[in-house]
Amino acid sequence: MDDDDDDDDDDVDERTAPLIKTATKTSKKKVARPTTWRKVDISNTPFPTYTHPTSGCIESPYQYFKRYFSPQLISNITYQTNLYATQKDVNTSFTTCDDEVMNFVSILIFMVICKLPTVEDY
């Protein structure tokens, strides 16, 4: 056997990548701007002063709740809850009202804010 035949498998492809022609622009050479370094003590940076909001900005928990849960949203949740209950069981007597849904959502929010060990603690 020829030794030349065995060398063909080990040859590395020596083709070069095709050259990409780039558009030549009339570029202005940018001159490097000299960097000036200054030593500054950053440990004594003053903090901005905090101002407390006025009492008119602080709302009651109920007003805060109503800002995010409008009557239309509560009504829609009530409708969808009753619809789902009817779809699950046509003969169900389950119905809920807007006040019950609002109380339920309020309790859920309270349970997220004030964590207690068991459900019975609420």
Side-chain angles (χ1 to χ4, degrees), residues 79-113:
Y79 174 76
Q80 293 297 328
T81 301
N82 291 331
L83 179 65
Y84 181 75
T86 305
Q87 288 174 348
K88 283 308 226 179
D89 183 14
V90 177
N91 299 324
T92 187
S93 61
F94 176 82
T95 57
T96 187
C97 64
D98 291 349
D99 289 334
E100 290 175 348
V101 170
M102 190 167 62
N103 288 335
F104 179 70
V105 172
S106 302
I107 290 170
L108 290 177
I109 292 172
F110 178 75
M111 290 173 76
V112 169
I113 294 171

Side-chain angles (χ1 to χ4, degrees), residues 19-39:
L19 296 176
I20 300 173
K21 293 182 180 180
T22 58
T24 58
K25 296 181 181 177
T26 56
S27 63
K28 297 177 185 177
K29 289 188 177 182
K30 294 183 180 179
V31 178
R33 192 171 64 191
T35 305
T36 55
W37 296 94
R38 291 181 285 154
K39 185 175 182 178

Side-chain angles (χ1 to χ4, degrees), residues 8-88:
D8 291 339
D9 295 337
D10 296 331
D11 286 341
V12 177
D13 192 7
E14 295 180 4
R15 291 182 288 177
T16 59
L19 296 176
I20 300 173
K21 293 182 180 180
T22 58
T24 58
K25 296 181 181 177
T26 56
S27 63
K28 297 177 185 177
K29 289 188 177 182
K30 294 183 180 179
V31 178
R33 192 171 64 191
T35 305
T36 55
W37 296 94
R38 291 181 285 154
K39 185 175 182 178
V40 178
D41 185 18
I42 60 171
S43 62
N44 294 329
T45 306
F47 290 110
T49 57
Y50 176 74
T51 56
H52 295 287
T54 61
S55 62
C57 294
I58 300 172
E59 299 176 347
S60 70
Y62 179 71
Q63 290 172 337
Y64 194 74
F65 177 83
K66 294 298 275 181
R67 175 184 291 175
Y68 295 103
F69 291 92
S70 66
Q72 294 85 10
L73 179 63
I74 296 293
S75 178
N76 188 21
I77 293 172
T78 303
Y79 174 76
Q80 293 297 328
T81 301
N82 291 331
L83 179 65
Y84 181 75
T86 305
Q87 288 174 348
K88 283 308 226 179

Side-chain angles (χ1 to χ4, degrees), residues 1-12:
M1 288 188 117
D2 272 313
D3 289 329
D4 294 335
D5 292 339
D6 294 333
D7 291 339
D8 291 339
D9 295 337
D10 296 331
D11 286 341
V12 177

